[in-house]
Amino acid sequence: MANSTYSSWSNMRIRCLNPDYPNYHNYGGRGITICSEWIESFQTFLDDMGFRPENTSLDRVDNSKGYFKENCRWATRTEQALNTRIYKTNTSGVKGVKYEDKLSRWVASAGGNVRVTLYRGKDFFEACCARKSWELQNV
């Protein structure tokens, strides 16, 4: 348990502090910071967060803010998947809902590596409802 907790702390630091890290642009490169207490001390991080429970990873409650005690939690893969930011390319303003121009229809989808289509049709509201229903069932 201690090793996985230390790995989470170490990886957090790399994501935010190392410009050579491949995904730095999604963390430190876009202004995601780490509170000074955690940068300096794994022990302080451990005191604040506790040991990492099995099948969880470090998650920021508000993805626009940095890593600090009040904004972090240990979360499952599902909780992490539901707590992602909306991509810049999203034109609907609703996570998991997009408009397909070629077919003139709305599509609601979910999932990570394996995408699941929840709705395809002309009604934006129905697409949003399908996505929200999926989120509520998977919390």
Side-chain angles (χ1 to χ4, degrees):
M1 244 193 241
N3 282 345
S4 63
T5 306
Y6 184 84
S7 290
S8 293
W9 174 77
S10 179
N11 290 333
M12 167 191 68
R13 294 179 81 246
I14 290 168
R15 287 191 297 269
C16 294
L17 303 175
N18 183 356
D20 293 328
Y21 177 71
N23 284 324
Y24 175 80
H25 65 280
N26 287 320
Y27 296 92
R30 71 178 185 98
I32 301 302
T33 59
I34 305 169
C35 68
S36 59
E37 298 86 3
W38 287 5
I39 289 176
E40 302 300 322
S41 169
F42 169 68
Q43 186 60 53
T44 302
F45 174 80
L46 181 60
D47 292 344
D48 287 346
M49 294 299 297
F51 287 105
R52 176 179 156 185
E54 195 172 328
N55 298 318
T56 65
S57 59
L58 187 61
D59 184 41
R60 285 173 290 121
V61 176
D62 181 340
N63 283 310
S64 65
K65 296 180 180 176
Y67 290 94
F68 53 92
K69 182 179 180 178
E70 296 79 13
N71 194 44
C72 289
R73 64 181 177 168
W74 297 115
T76 64
R77 283 180 157 240
T78 301
E79 290 167 329
Q80 286 264 9
L82 292 172
N83 189 30
T84 57
R85 59 190 164 113
I86 294 177
Y87 289 103
K88 291 178 184 177
T89 57
N90 181 307
T91 56
S92 73
V94 178
K95 192 183 321 177
V97 176
K98 69 179 181 179
Y99 189 73
E100 292 181 335
D101 285 325
K102 289 181 181 179
L103 300 172
S104 300
R105 66 182 179 190
W106 290 98
V107 177
S109 60
N113 294 335
V114 178
R115 302 294 293 168
V116 176
T117 301
L118 306 169
Y119 173 84
R120 274 196 179 105
K122 302 281 184 189
D123 193 320
F124 173 68
F125 179 75
E126 288 296 324
C128 294
C129 288
R131 172 61 190 207
K132 188 50 108 177
S133 176
W134 178 87
E135 288 178 10
L136 292 172
Q137 290 173 6
N138 288 281
V139 171

